[in-house]
Amino acid sequence: MKMDFPKKTVSRENDENLGGSELSDDNKNEEMGQRRPGTLNLNLNNPPDERHSKLGFQSGANFPEEQTENEEKDYAVHCVEAYFKGMETLSDEESEEGSGSSSKRKRYSTEEKGEAKIENESSPTEIIFDIEDDLALLNLTTLSLVATNEESDSNLQKEGTQMNEFQRAREWRERRLREAKRRHYEVARYCARRLAHPQEDDSFNKGNKKGVLKEAEDESQDFGGGPFYEAMVMIKKRNLVQELKWMPAKNKVEVRQCGVPSLMDLSLKILARNAEAIVSLELVPDFLRHKLSQIVRKKGKMNAHFLELLASGSPTEIRLNDCSEINTDDFTRIFGACDKKNLIVLQLDLCGRILTENVIINTIVTQNFSLPALTTISLTGAYQLTDFGLSKLARSASALQSVNLSQCSLLTNEGINLLVKHLKSTLRVLYIDHCQNIYAVSMLPALRKLNCLEVLSVAGIETVDDYFVTEIVRAHCLNMRQLVLANCGQLTDRALKFVGKKCSRLCALDLSHLDNLTDATVQYLADGCRSICSLKLCRNNFSDEALAAFLEVSGDSLTELSLNHVRGVGLNTALSLAKCSRNLLSLDLSWCRFIKDEALGFIVDNCSLLRLLKLFGCSQITNVFLNGHSNSMVQIIGLPLTPALKHLQLLEPQHTP
């Protein structure tokens, strides 16, 4: 309750105790018996009963004639407290009454004392204390407490506002500190758990776009029923120490090396070394032309002369893995004179400098339907290929079944629409890897129109999401044989769940570098895709138990498996590989640091058909494995002092579907 008080005065019987201060006009009027209306006179020497009854005291008791000093102080303090608490003012009728009262006073108890509420009517309220000189200090304290005005109230209000702003800022800083502390705690907890238990691979769920880390609790994940669930239950009951036993061979097994080269291989090497002296390849079969072309490229002699040898006559295949050494003029001259009516396979990889729109129109596509037999074309790295040039190629080759347009940076959705328009009923294989100007969802209507799509590769296209994959699978699930979804960072378990349910005939799948996938993806593939032959799971966060369960269910059909940089690979995966993947031909365990000599020897000895084993980054492998395994047919690359480039094929040839 806010009150405005005028300058307060104190009536005293002896002014000398206050330093000789002069009395105001109100005090003079009070001494003369003229009391102002609305004035509360609390004269301790003459307390009327009626006044105390209105203040809440009980009347009818007589006050003692003489009060002690302590009693007067108690009574004055009570009056001050009654004023600040409360709360009823005396009526005008009481203020007009005389101050005459009996000389006797009544001493009230604490329970009998009430609260007074002062009602302001027309004039400010004035409290006048009339006490003895020895109460001067109490009077001065009381006056300082009640002497407030509007200016002090406004200052207090401003200070309160500033205090509120300061309080809000402090609360905001405290919230930020608590949030940072919580994040630091989560990161520290994750790192400590990895250091304490290195064989456990804690995965992160990055579907939350706010950038907050969440641990994936694989142990509490409910996989439901099915073969994968049964395999998981069996794996958790395993005794790895008893089941995974491997003893290195006492005698070192000599790895079978390439024997004496055949006469054909020697002849091809001699021809490649003297490629500039070759006159014609007209009667050479296509597979020998392809081998010779690879050897010539490795020796760095792929030039216009060799291209002319491949394009002479009426060829059925022209395969060039690297066209970077051929200029535009030579290419235009050679292909302009080539008879292309029997051409079936055309591979012009790394042809970005020569394959422009004008070259396509003037040399390759001289007229409509000029490539009637062409079924396979590969133009990897044709960074100058436009939508119009692609449309011209598709119009001239109406029998195209396989198209590789990887890394063609100028292609857009319009080019894909034109390609599908001309090849709606024949196109079966489409590679559009790393074509960054293609928006995945916008080309969905065109891809739905294809009648027999079997292979789709959209690796590296950032706009590929769950909706795109779901719609593609919904339209082509019956024919789909191969899906390449590597580096499509938006994909989650939802898309792979649909793939597992619908694509039962899927043979090859590439899920490399998809950070949002969890063990649920492995479950969907194990329960739905039982015929997968080639599986690439590089740089994913799958657990050791989930991979082992997948191999227990679907490992028999695998011939190629890549677990490159899958940190969860451990003893369970090794045991399932050795027992259930006997048909493996190629295995990549690079950067799987938890695979030791014993586990790797157990895998190699049991997978007798294994021919290629990649172990890049596996510094924990020692000579105990290299000298102790019994598989003489396997070629191990990636370890120190082992051949590497001999087995790496950067560009695979494109075959007719």
Side-chain angles (χ1 to χ4, degrees), residues 438-453:
I438 293 179
Y439 187 67
V441 178
S442 299
M443 67 176 177
L444 264 177
L447 296 181
R448 286 196 191 102
K449 297 177 182 179
L450 295 174
N451 296 333
C452 51
L453 183 64

Side-chain angles (χ1 to χ4, degrees), residues 349-598:
D349 293 335
L350 303 181
C351 59
R353 189 177 66 170
I354 62 176
L355 199 63
T356 63
E357 186 174 301
N358 293 331
V359 171
I360 292 175
I361 296 175
N362 297 328
T363 59
I364 300 178
V365 184
T366 55
Q367 58 185 356
N368 291 337
F369 307 106
S370 59
L371 301 169
L374 188 65
T375 59
T376 302
I377 186 171
S378 177
L379 302 176
T380 300
Y383 57 83
Q384 296 192 60
L385 180 63
T386 61
D387 296 338
F388 182 75
L390 180 61
S391 176
K392 286 290 186 179
L393 281 174
R395 182 178 298 178
S396 62
S398 58
L400 269 177
Q401 300 179 29
S402 176
V403 178
N404 189 347
L405 301 173
S406 301
Q407 302 175 14
C408 295
S409 56
L410 293 182
L411 290 182
T412 64
N413 294 327
E414 183 63 25
I416 303 300
N417 294 336
L418 295 173
L419 180 70
V420 173
K421 178 181 178 181
H422 299 296
L423 305 176
K424 177 181 178 180
S425 58
T426 60
L427 188 61
R428 298 165 60 187
V429 179
L430 179 61
Y431 291 87
I432 50 175
D433 303 344
H434 302 284
C435 295
Q436 299 301 331
N437 285 330
I438 293 179
Y439 187 67
V441 178
S442 299
M443 67 176 177
L444 264 177
L447 296 181
R448 286 196 191 102
K449 297 177 182 179
L450 295 174
N451 296 333
C452 51
L453 183 64
E454 296 180 2
V455 178
L456 178 63
S457 178
V458 290
I461 298 181
E462 298 178 355
T463 56
V464 173
D465 55 6
D466 293 342
Y467 175 74
F468 174 82
V469 175
T470 301
E471 292 301 315
I472 288 295
V473 170
R474 193 190 306 275
H476 304 288
C477 58
L478 297 179
N479 299 323
M480 192 62 67
R481 298 291 184 272
Q482 180 178 353
L483 269 176
V484 180
L485 304 174
N487 295 288
C488 298
Q490 297 187 37
L491 292 182
T492 64
D493 296 332
R494 184 182 304 174
L496 275 302
K497 180 179 181 180
F498 204 77
V499 172
K501 287 183 177 181
K502 300 295 183 180
C503 299
S504 58
R505 302 172 64 184
L506 194 65
C507 298
L509 182 62
D510 189 351
L511 301 178
S512 302
H513 212 297
L514 301 181
D515 297 335
N516 293 330
L517 300 185
T518 66
D519 289 348
T521 291
V522 183
Q523 175 201 4
Y524 302 143
L525 297 178
D527 291 340
C529 303
R530 300 290 187 87
S531 58
I532 292 182
C533 299
S534 176
L535 182 62
K536 295 181 180 181
L537 303 176
C538 306
R539 289 184 176 272
N540 281 302
N541 297 321
F542 303 130
S543 66
D544 186 29
E545 293 80 5
L547 293 173
F550 173 82
L551 293 172
E552 293 285 342
V553 176
S554 303
D556 291 339
S557 61
L558 285 176
T559 59
E560 180 183 0
L561 177 62
S562 178
L563 299 176
N564 189 320
H565 216 293
V566 180
R567 293 176 296 173
V569 174
L571 297 180
N572 285 301
T573 303
L575 182 58
S576 297
L577 275 171
K579 295 174 59 177
C580 305
S581 301
R582 304 292 180 89
N583 297 320
L584 270 180
L585 301 176
S586 175
L587 178 61
D588 187 358
L589 294 176
S590 301
W591 303 101
C592 296
R593 298 295 184 86
F594 300 137
I595 297 293
K596 308 296 182 181
D597 291 330
E598 294 77 9

Side-chain angles (χ1 to χ4, degrees), residues 275 281 292-293 296 301-310 320:
L281 296 175
L292 181 60
S293 176
V296 169
K301 295 188 176 183
M302 182 65 68
N303 51 25
H305 174 69
F306 192 78
L307 175 61
E308 190 172 1
L309 292 176
L310 294 176
L320 295 177

Side-chain angles (χ1 to χ4, degrees), residues 176-189:
R176 291 291 299 273
L177 290 175
R178 287 195 299 269
E179 182 66 20
K181 185 178 179 180
R182 187 188 64 80
R183 290 198 301 267
H184 294 163
Y185 171 77
E186 293 293 336
V187 173
R189 182 168 175 259

